Amino acid sequence: MTAFADRHIGPTPEDQRRMLDAVGYGSVDELMDAAIPEVIRWHGTLDLPPAGTEEQALAELRAIAGRNTVATSMIGLGYHGTHTPPVIRRNVLENPAWYTAYTPYQPEISQGRLEALLNFQTMVADLTGLATANASMLDEGTAAAEAMTLARRAGRSKSNVYLVDADTLPQTLSVIGTRAEPLGIEVRIIDIDNPETALPDAFFGLHLQYPGASGAVRDHAAVIAAAHERGALVTVAADLLALTLLRPPGEAGADIAVGNTQRFGVPMGFGGPHAGYLVVRAGLERMLPGRLVGVSRDADGNPAYRLALQTREQHIRREKATSNICTAQVLLAVIASMYAVYHGPEGLRAIAERTHAKAARLAAGLREGGVALAEQPFFDTVTATVPGRAAGVVAAAAERGVNLRLAGPDTVGVACDETTTDAHLAAVFAAFGVAEPAGDGHDALPPGLARITEFLTHPVFHAHRSETAMLRYLRRLADFDFALDRGMIPLGSCTMKLNATAELEPISWPGFADLHPFAPAGQAAGYRELIGQLEGWLATLTGYDAVSVQPNAGSQGELAGLLAIRAYHRANGAGHRDVCLIPSSAHGTNAASAVMAGMRVVVVACDPEGNVDLADLDRKIEAHRPALAAIMVTYPSTHGVYESGIAALCAKVHDAGGQVYVDGANLNALLGYAKPGRFGADVSHLNLHKTFCIPHGGGGPGVGPVAVRAHLAPYLPGDPLAPRREDGVGSVSAAAHGSAGILPIPWAYLRMMGGEGLTRATAAAVLSANYVAARLRDHYPVLYAGNKGLVAHECILDLRPLTRATGVTVDDVAKRLIDYGFHAPTMSFPVAGTLMVEPTESEDLAELDRFCAAMVAIRAEIDRVGSGEWPKGDNPLANAPHTAQMVTGDEWRHPYPRSVAAYPAGVDRAGKYWPPVRRIDGAYGDRNLVCACPPPEAFEQ
Ligand SMILES: *Cc1c(COP(=O)(O)O)cnc(C)c1O
């Protein structure tokens, strides 16, 4: 039987021999010995269990899932039971056309997910009554933290005080606290119910929860107005389902709303992933963090979607960034938006009414049974006062298979959702020791806060009510997009490798999908085992001592790692150390994270070979020695090179009292050959959505574990529900284990590869990159190389000389690759005017050759432009990509034939991928910002 590793790794041993010939090495071992500097090399066998088959791994995962207890969770606190419509589960969550797509930076081949994200933005804006929503946040806690910093930038107040309503979700409060502290923001909790509470004179922002954690629905209009009088901005964390029945925050005067869209069809997954949201009133849209989808037009003037204000994707602005979010939660945002498309406004309202009716019946039964409930309007959650009995009631409910919230020694919270049945309520009544109520109770929504405005009026939320229509809509959008299920996505730094079906299957099993993150520990034994093993394996692979999977993206892992460094310095009486050295080639998130961790960024230059300039490093260390907190370097470098200076670099920084952070996004070039925790680094984050097979999802989800040496272990992120330790770091995600629901994916990958398979994969990835470099070197200069002219797992093709000579840009080449049936490599990162190619180990030789042939053919096309044979403004490159509409038009006035436009050398005519739109004019859309669904008339031609 074929081992899984042989299916994961594309090139066969025979292929690899041919590739080695092209690169000029006799064996993979020789190649790796030559490529990897001996100073970092680790010679050993990885101590992982021997590789299991797919069947074994799945059987073990089934047993692990079986050790989780799936109870009915009525805990609430922002996580609720929900029915994922099967048509959405199978055709989005479980469909590689959606989950293997990349972030839509190449909009012409991403129109499907861009439309779905625009639906998401429209849904959030409509429901909250605010103007502009972004295309997802990592969770509600981090969205609330981003809203806090947005309020600080946008508001008039010079105060550093941020007020938080006492009835805020505890995990949100925890994340806000973590993010506030390094920025010098003072968080003050206020009880807005208490008439004695006076707002302080000076504060820059106020965070409210609607409905509150207790379930209370409050009229916030007055407190919002009072905050505005003091120059503060107000954020309302709002439940979207409740907003189908309640006056939205925008109509109460809120400036910003945040929240979680989990209950729109996304399983709880023991904490994630889910799409958080952030939406702002008019006037604040240019300050939004994260990605924003907007409408623009293509070269034919047809409407087309693309990411708007791309320079606002904050991390690109490095230390001037105000947010570090990069990978977000696209797949989950697509699911939530499709839930709204599927149900429509009436359907959502009906779900909300049913949910409220259950809560009303619950309240009636408890009251009739003599249980005291807070006298307050509620939507889905009631808080009962049972003096001295709360723990007993919660235990009694658990015995009946229902989780309730132990809200205090005397209080129990019970939340209803769309999955709540009368049988669940009967179990709750029994747990409280009360009889079932005679009637159904009555509406407990505050009449003055009833929603009167319409929402989701756009036709897309009305047109797909039958399952047939829904199925076809999902298929139509998926067909617009180019994902890994069509062809190679050779994006440097992104590691778009195989996301094996066996790795993905378990995430929708109820034993993983249906656990509430705050379920009693006894119910999550399987998850604890899975997470413990995974963290242990990741520590083994990286040479670190401790790992936390809490950060839900690489950017959050960076922040967690830097916060650990900061806390460590403070604990050692060196709290003044606040300078973070970052090489000029670094990923933008590095600098953005450093600023968020309260550090000052000092840039270190690179030498002409692309390595960190050690002389400049010496100068910067000298200039900042007493204040030096850390250096943040990527290894292998973002230039795709194994730098041999890394050991010296680590030593220099350590000698000066600093800590070494190695950005682990490029770990795919190291596994089995080097361990950052052994070659001098103190902390790294890993990207489980790159190296460890979590699919990219069109721009998320991700998991960015933080891995540390022992001295930093006490400063790993804390549990958001536990009190923060005096010298601890607090939580960086809303749930203790972040996006736990997708951790079966990397677990399965490691279990099926074993140490040997992983090591072989690394070598295959390095061989593939060197093969591409060797094949293309004569056609495009390869920008940087290390030992013996070898690259690591990716290579940079320098287009700049060609651009200067011919006017053909890196953009033209990227778009022309679409005509050849490829997703472009990474464009202009880390060097403007270049393409960075990362083939990964999973692409077989035929696909690598198809790519190289396309690049060679494109080079010949560039030459025809350069020679003047084709005019600069009218050639297959300038006009790319070509749509079917264009090449089948009745007129054709271009100096090259239609066949060259559509079927350049090597393109399979029968299997051709047709982009739905021509090249998109980004600037037009930025000038005319439209970030919600345009009216259908806009698409009439
Ligand atoms: C992808 C990447 C990051 C950011 O990771 P996200 O999960 O997108 O937040 C950071 N550094 C490098 C080098 C990367 O390639």
Side-chain angles (χ1 to χ4, degrees):
M1 191 173 53
T2 311
F4 173 77
D6 293 326
R7 297 203 188 274
H8 175 84
I9 298 171
T12 63
E14 177 52 38
D15 293 340
Q16 295 198 17
R17 268 190 294 280
R18 286 171 41 210
M19 293 159 70
L20 283 162
D21 281 346
V23 181
Y25 284 83
S27 71
V28 169
D29 288 344
E30 264 177 46
L31 172 74
M32 295 304 277
D33 287 345
I36 302 187
E38 193 53 37
V39 283
I40 65 152
R41 185 73 188 267
W42 176 79
H43 297 274
T45 7
L46 291 174
D47 187 17
L48 294 188
T53 63
E54 294 179 58
E55 292 70 25
Q56 277 169 338
L58 285 169
E60 287 172 24
L61 278 169
R62 221 171 254 118
I64 291 174
R67 289 192 275 280
N68 288 328
T69 306
V70 181
T72 300
S73 281
M74 300 179 75
I75 297 171
L77 291 181
Y79 304 95
H80 301 274
T82 178
H83 294 302
T84 310
V87 64
I88 296 176
R89 185 176 60 235
R90 173 160 293 201
N91 296 287
V92 180
L93 179 62
E94 299 177 345
N95 181 351
W98 288 97
Y99 68 68
T100 68
Y102 180 63
T103 306
Y105 291 136
Q106 296 289 338
E108 294 83 1
I109 55 177
S110 314
Q111 291 293 298
R113 54 197 186 274
L114 285 165
E115 175 163 330
L117 291 174
L118 198 70
N119 293 346
F120 178 84
Q121 292 177 185
T122 305
M123 168 187 96
V124 170
D126 273 17
L127 284 169
T128 56
L130 286 159
T132 308
N134 74 6
S136 77
M137 300 297 286
L138 292 165
D139 60 20
E140 179 163 337
T142 56
E146 300 267 4
M148 167 178 74
T149 53
L150 199 165
R152 197 183 199 192
R153 292 193 301 280
R156 286 180 282 119
S157 171
K158 293 281 168 280
S159 165
N160 72 334
V161 173
Y162 193 60
L163 301 183
V164 180
D165 169 10
D167 205 13
T168 294
L169 300 177
Q171 70 273 22
T172 301
L173 182 59
S174 170
V175 177
I176 286 178
T178 305
R179 299 271 287 256
E181 193 266 338
L183 301 177
I185 294 172
E186 181 194 333
V187 175
R188 268 192 229 162
I189 295 171
I190 57 154
D191 178 2
I192 56 168
D193 284 343
N194 185 345
E196 306 289 300
T197 303
L199 292 179
D201 286 336
F203 59 99
F204 71 85
L206 167 65
H207 177 100
L208 302 167
Q209 186 92 40
Y210 183 66
S214 66
V217 177
R218 302 178 176 85
D219 185 346
H220 287 140
V223 71
I224 291 174
H228 283 164
E229 271 169 33
R230 289 161 176 81
L233 264 58
V234 180
T235 296
V236 175
D239 178 322
L240 291 187
L241 189 63
L243 296 185
T244 63
L245 303 179
L246 294 174
R247 182 185 69 192
E251 290 171 28
D255 304 283
I256 306 168
V258 296
N260 185 359
T261 61
Q262 179 267 320
R263 74 188 315 178
F264 277 27
V266 182
M268 287 183 283
F270 198 44
H274 321 124
Y277 74 80
L278 197 161
V279 55
V280 295
R281 66 162 157 77
L284 296 177
E285 57 281 333
R286 284 170 198 266
M287 303 188 104
L288 266 177
R291 303 189 183 116
L292 182 63
V293 176
V295 185
S296 189
R297 60 184 189 194
D298 76 357
D300 286 334
N302 292 323
Y305 311 112
R306 93 278 177 247
L307 293 177
L309 310 176
Q310 282 213 11
T311 52
R312 302 282 151 173
E313 191 168 310
Q314 284 291 331
H315 65 86
I316 292 167
R317 299 163 37 121
R318 296 172 181 267
E319 62 273 16
K320 297 200 184 57
T322 47
S323 162
N324 65 347
I325 184 169
C326 177
T327 290
Q329 299 283 22
V330 170
L331 189 69
L332 303 312
V334 170
I335 293 172
S337 77
M338 290 302 173
Y339 180 91
V341 166
Y342 180 74
H343 288 296
E346 332 74 55
L348 293 180
R349 192 185 268 275
I351 292 169
E353 281 166 352
R354 252 190 354 256
T355 299
H356 180 63
K358 292 288 183 239
R361 181 173 154 79
L362 173 69
L366 293 177
R367 282 211 176 93
E368 283 174 28
V371 174
L373 300 184
E375 284 303 325
Q376 61 194 14
F378 59 83
F379 164 60
D380 64 359
T381 300
V382 297
T383 300
T385 305
V386 278
R389 286 207 303 135
V393 168
V394 169
E399 270 170 36
R400 293 167 172 81
V402 175
N403 293 328
L404 306 181
R405 174 187 177 215
L406 184 61
D410 304 324
T411 45
V412 175
V414 189
C416 298
D417 58 51
E418 69 164 317
T419 68
T420 304
T421 62
D422 284 342
H424 299 141
L425 293 186
V428 176
F429 292 135
F432 276 93
V434 304
E436 302 222 5
D440 275 344
H442 24 242
D443 192 319
L445 294 172
L449 293 184
R451 176 153 197 148
I452 48 174
T453 42
E454 287 192 302
F455 54 91
L456 306 186
T457 53
H458 191 275
V460 74
F461 299 107
H462 299 263
H464 308 290
R465 218 47 96 242
S466 77
E467 181 161 329
T468 301
M470 188 71 199
L471 179 71
R472 289 178 186 159
Y473 182 54
L474 293 172
R475 173 62 189 258
R476 173 184 155 83
L477 294 192
D479 275 355
F480 286 162
D481 287 10
F482 188 97
L484 274 179
D485 63 339
R486 282 187 196 270
M488 177 178 187
I489 304 185
L491 286 162
S493 215
C494 300
T495 315
M496 300 293 290
K497 59 164 69 173
L498 170 72
N499 315 117
T501 309
E503 293 154 4
L504 270 296
E505 268 184 357
I507 66 166
S508 26
W509 295 346
F512 290 124
D514 293 343
L515 267 74
H516 191 289
F518 309 146
Q523 292 176 15
Y527 260 121
R528 269 205 311 285
E529 183 182 344
L530 179 98
I531 292 166
Q533 276 177 3
L534 180 63
E535 288 179 345
W537 292 342
L538 294 174
T540 298
L541 293 172
T542 54
Y544 285 108
D545 299 302
V547 173
S548 164
V549 295
Q550 187 184 104
N552 41 23
S555 60
Q556 308 305 299
E558 292 175 19
L559 177 64
L562 291 169
L563 290 175
I565 290 176
R566 183 169 183 271
Y568 169 80
H569 283 315
R570 293 185 142 200
N572 289 286
H576 58 280
R577 288 187 177 270
D578 68 345
V579 164
C580 186
L581 303 178
I582 299 187
S584 58
S585 61
H587 195 269
T589 51
N590 289 184
S593 300
V595 172
M596 288 167 63
M599 295 186 182
R600 287 182 290 146
V601 172
V602 171
V603 176
V604 182
C606 287
D607 67 17
E609 279 79 55
N611 300 320
V612 174
D613 181 339
L614 292 181
D616 192 49
L617 176 66
D618 287 336
R619 283 192 291 276
K620 298 289 158 64
I621 289 177
E622 264 340 290
H624 301 283
R625 183 174 286 270
L628 184 62
I631 188 166
M632 238 181 149
V633 289
T634 304
Y635 202 87
S637 74
T638 52
H639 293 149
V641 172
Y642 296 106
E643 298 180 43
S644 33
I646 184 72
L649 177 150
C650 293
K652 285 172 192 284
V653 173
H654 281 146
D655 285 349
Q659 293 279 294
V660 176
Y661 187 113
V662 166
D663 179 327
N666 289 346
L667 205 67
N668 211 45
L670 296 181
L671 286 183
Y673 287 90
K675 298 184 172 190
R678 295 290 181 84
F679 65 66
D682 301 289
V683 45
S684 289
H685 78 269
L686 321 176
N687 292 62
L688 300 192
H689 45 302
K690 294 177 181 172
T691 317
F692 298 94
C693 300
I694 290 176
H696 216 83
V703 176
V706 54
V708 295
R709 303 232 338 255
H711 63 285
L712 294 178
Y715 311 108
L716 286 174
D719 182 336
L721 293 195
R724 180 169 166 177
R725 264 201 355 263
E726 186 65 36
D727 62 344
V729 155
S731 62
V732 297
S733 299
H737 305 291
S739 293
I742 49 177
L743 295 177
I745 301 168
W747 189 97
Y749 177 58
L750 297 179
R751 186 68 193 83
M752 298 189 298
M753 291 294 276
E756 197 221 319
L758 291 171
T759 308
R760 276 172 53 209
T762 303
V766 171
L767 173 58
S768 291
N770 279 287
Y771 176 73
V772 170
R775 290 247 353 233
L776 296 182
R777 189 166 264 137
D778 292 342
H779 308 274
Y780 306 88
V782 172
L783 194 51
Y784 299 114
N787 275 355
K788 310 217 164 60
L790 294 169
V791 298
H793 65 311
E794 57 196 3
C795 65
I796 298 179
L797 304 176
D798 193 356
L799 272 292
R800 292 170 302 182
L802 284 170
T803 301
R804 275 193 295 274
T806 65
V808 174
T809 64
V810 60
D811 233 44
D812 296 331
V813 174
K815 304 307 178 195
R816 183 62 173 152
L817 274 168
I818 298 171
D819 291 333
Y820 281 84
F822 287 98
H823 191 293
T826 297
M827 247 172 54
S828 292
F829 171 79
V831 183
T834 66
L835 291 173
M836 182 158 64
V837 183
E838 181 181 358
T840 83
E841 69 277 14
S842 297
E843 296 299 339
D844 61 28
L845 182 55
E847 185 71 353
L848 295 174
D849 282 340
R850 193 172 74 90
F851 175 74
C852 292
M855 289 300 291
V856 170
I858 288 175
R859 173 59 213 264
E861 292 179 348
I862 297 173
D863 289 342
R864 292 169 77 175
V865 178
S867 71
E869 182 188 338
W870 284 335
K872 280 207 161 118
D874 190 3
N875 59 64
L877 290 139
N879 292 329
H882 297 82
T883 57
Q885 189 191 347
M886 181 188 182
V887 296
T888 57
D890 294 332
E891 263 183 50
W892 181 261
R893 295 167 185 272
H894 302 287
Y896 54 97
R898 289 171 154 110
S899 58
V900 167
Y903 304 114
V907 171
D908 167 11
R909 290 178 187 236
K912 159 96 181 165
Y913 166 74
W914 291 101
V917 295
R918 289 188 60 200
R919 200 175 308 186
I920 297 172
D921 180 348
Y924 174 84
D926 284 353
R927 283 195 307 276
N928 307 280
L929 196 61
V930 176
C931 298
C933 298
E937 300 77 59
F939 292 87
E940 281 170 12
Q941 311 218 333

